[in-house]
Amino acid sequence: MKNQWSAALIRWCGALLLLLTVLGVLLSWLLVGSTDRYMKEQLLVQAHTHAETIPLSYLKTLSQSFDVQKHSEYHVIKNFLIASAHASDAAKSFYLLHRKNDGTVQVLVDSTPNEDPYEACSGLSSADIIKAFDAAASAVHGPVSGILGECIS
């Protein structure tokens, strides 16, 4: 009789331990997913805030020029993006995208020390990014591997 109780108790303890493990894994998964969504939302809010501080006249000047680096507006925006990247805990770099007349998307200015902003991140002509330009709306695309590492646009 004592062996039957011991075996039953061991089975119940094993089942309880398995149930607690499954619940712990499920709770951890939900917490990680929630934290990830929150961090993406905060990064998007931060990007909106930074983007709204760039004067539209600067963007217009740069978008109409072939050689953007010769304009003082380019250097003002680049220095602003560099300062933003240094101040951010969530992002290593920022970049400003531009859609050319042929519909392709390119980096206009970025916060890296590299003086060629067009090489910052690959995969910028994806349908998701082009749709964001068409809708004049925010969108999150990525991660995409580029020379800067993993880029989220």
Side-chain angles (χ1 to χ4, degrees):
M1 178 101 168
K2 188 175 186 182
N3 287 341
Q4 289 176 343
W5 281 101
S6 295
L9 183 61
I10 290 172
R11 279 194 297 264
W12 277 105
C13 286
L16 183 61
L17 184 60
L18 180 64
L19 177 66
L20 289 175
T21 302
V22 168
L23 287 175
V25 168
L26 179 63
L27 183 61
S28 296
W29 179 73
L30 290 173
L31 185 61
V32 166
S34 173
T35 302
D36 184 54
R37 281 189 301 279
Y38 174 77
M39 289 177 69
K40 285 180 182 177
E41 288 171 4
Q42 291 303 310
L43 190 58
L44 191 58
V45 166
Q46 184 182 17
H48 278 283
T49 303
H50 288 293
E52 289 174 356
T53 60
I54 299 172
L56 290 176
S57 61
Y58 286 18
L59 299 177
K60 187 174 183 177
T61 300
L62 294 182
S63 66
Q64 295 173 346
S65 175
F66 179 73
D67 186 13
V68 297
Q69 294 178 5
K70 70 177 182 178
H71 294 283
S72 63
E73 291 88 348
Y74 168 84
H75 297 286
V76 170
I77 293 173
K78 184 160 185 89
N79 289 334
F80 172 74
L81 294 178
I82 290 170
S84 299
H86 286 296
S88 173
D89 293 333
K92 281 197 254 181
S93 63
F94 288 92
Y95 54 93
L96 183 64
L97 299 178
H98 167 71
R99 185 169 66 174
K100 299 190 314 186
N101 291 337
D102 64 2
T104 59
V105 177
Q106 69 181 19
V107 176
L108 191 62
V109 184
D110 71 348
S111 64
T112 62
N114 180 3
E115 286 300 319
D116 190 2
Y118 306 110
E119 299 298 323
C121 196
S122 62
L124 294 175
S125 294
S126 74
D128 293 335
I129 292 176
I130 293 172
K131 283 181 196 173
F133 275 94
D134 289 339
S138 301
V140 177
H141 171 72
V144 175
S145 294
I147 63 171
L148 295 178
E150 296 292 317
C151 294
I152 300 174
S153 300

